[in-house]
Amino acid sequence: MSGTSKPRSGGQILVDSLRVHGADLAFCVAGESYLDVLDAFHDAPDIRLITCRHEGGAANMAEAAGKLTGRPGICLVTRGPGACNASIGVHTAMQDSTPMILFVGQVARDQAEREAFQEIDYRRMFSPVAKWAAQIDDAARIPEFISRAFHVATSGRPGPVVLALPEDMLRDRVSVAPTGRYTEVQAHPGMADLKRVAELLALADRPLILAGGSGWTDAACEDLRRFAESCNIPVCSSFRRQDVVNNDSPAWIGDLGTGPNPKLLARVKEADLLLVIGARLGEMTTQGYELIDLPETRQTLIHVHASAEELGRVFRPDLPIQAGSTAFASALSSLPKFHDLRSDRWRDWMEVGRRDFLEWLEPAAYDGALDLGAISVWLRDRLPADSIVTIDAGNFSGWAQRFLKYGRPGRQLGPTSGAMGYSVPAAVAAKIVHPNRLVVSFVGDGGFQMTGQELATAMHAKSAPIILVFNNGIFGTIRMHQEKRYPGRVSATDLTNPDFAALARSYGAFGAAVERTAEFAPAFEQAVESGLPAVIELRMDPEVITTRTTLSALRAQALGQK
């Protein structure tokens, strides 16, 4: 685009540049280091600016928005402590491959390198956990930097970008030419690659598709489902990507996350071909890099990923293909000899895997006061197909991951980085992005206390997620590992908690406490009917440490081994 505009401040140019690239939502904690940007937002009502209560919450909200929309989630924080607090969201965006742009206020340019008040070199600080970290020292280059940020955040393997903004630069007034809107760039598979995929599949007796990563559209997920069903190839997902294929599909056989179905793990080992689409084959998905031999796999490995750097990083693929998940899923139907692959020879292999999954969906009998398995099954039947479920880090997440079903356009949002404190702000953001969809947050008592103050943001923004707080009074995951390694020696994992329901009501939200199974359904329906942000505290027995075992059983097993 040609021509220059009348002089504007750096803050005005930045906000105008966000508008050029289609940004309509941003999350922030206000700071004095970027006052000119905040002032520019005053004249940009078409971009909704959400004021959050902690930079970690703001960054997690932006990350969740990026997951849901496929466009960069926008976050603005102040220098020093603000940037440090927001770094957790950047790390999550990096490990989850989520498009996101974090703007950080910075000291004035003439104060640089003096360790001025709250000064940090953000290029050095964020370079290991961002796709690109830079500082804009010239207001005239703001459109250039913003354009590059949107391209970098969305292209190839998506991820976070961090831009530092010296406060005096934001006050400079310059005339600059506008830019055009960014274009997402993804690699497409070539015909030679597709031909080789078909050849390798034709040779397989027990093929398995492992799908995951980011960048999936509803259309791409439908393309993958149709291909898997027509060819009778079973599909599983990587950690916290259970919404890639509709879980009601006869081809869906489960997920490779925390506490996976042992029969699914055995099936992966039995497979003679793995078609991995979009997943990084990271530690969680590969069960500590032990599920699949490395670097040479027993199975024929076809690895499709948007980043060339990811192909061959840990496991050497027989056929590496650099391609975006959407592009590859679309190309599956055009595989050479595609119709020849539609045979019944894999049908039994797929159907047995499906039966194993359906058996795994049924919880074991429990005679305690609060049956989380029964509650999860009730939720599975109650939640609309387009519900959004946000999941925090912790053992409680097993109930949402094992017993709920996911699909499109419903979404599962959870940090593959394992960051606690994600679920509540993610739920607030999800309800802002999709106000007409039911949003349910699963969070432990530990994670809620990290970012639960974003209930204030929910009230202010009129966002009404339903937050289920699993309160067992302990850091459950750490206690589990303690009992496995140091049985009976409890240290630093007991918690003293508030009355979560009363705390919610103090914010003006809906609050209820549930101690018995029969109390849950009425409380949930009341929460929905309230139209308010809601907290339902599930007062659970700490003995119920996972969906499969108890603390006492773990302790006894560990003592027996000693």
Side-chain angles (χ1 to χ4, degrees), residues 281 286 289 292-295 297 301 311-317:
L281 292 178
T286 63
Y289 300 103
I292 306 171
D293 291 346
L294 60 83
T297 63
L301 177 60
L311 298 170
R313 171 181 279 192
V314 180
F315 302 91
R316 189 193 68 81

Side-chain angles (χ1 to χ4, degrees), residues 258-271:
T258 54
N261 185 350
K263 290 185 178 180
L264 175 59
L265 299 183
R267 189 154 297 275
V268 174
K269 293 179 180 180
E270 292 171 15

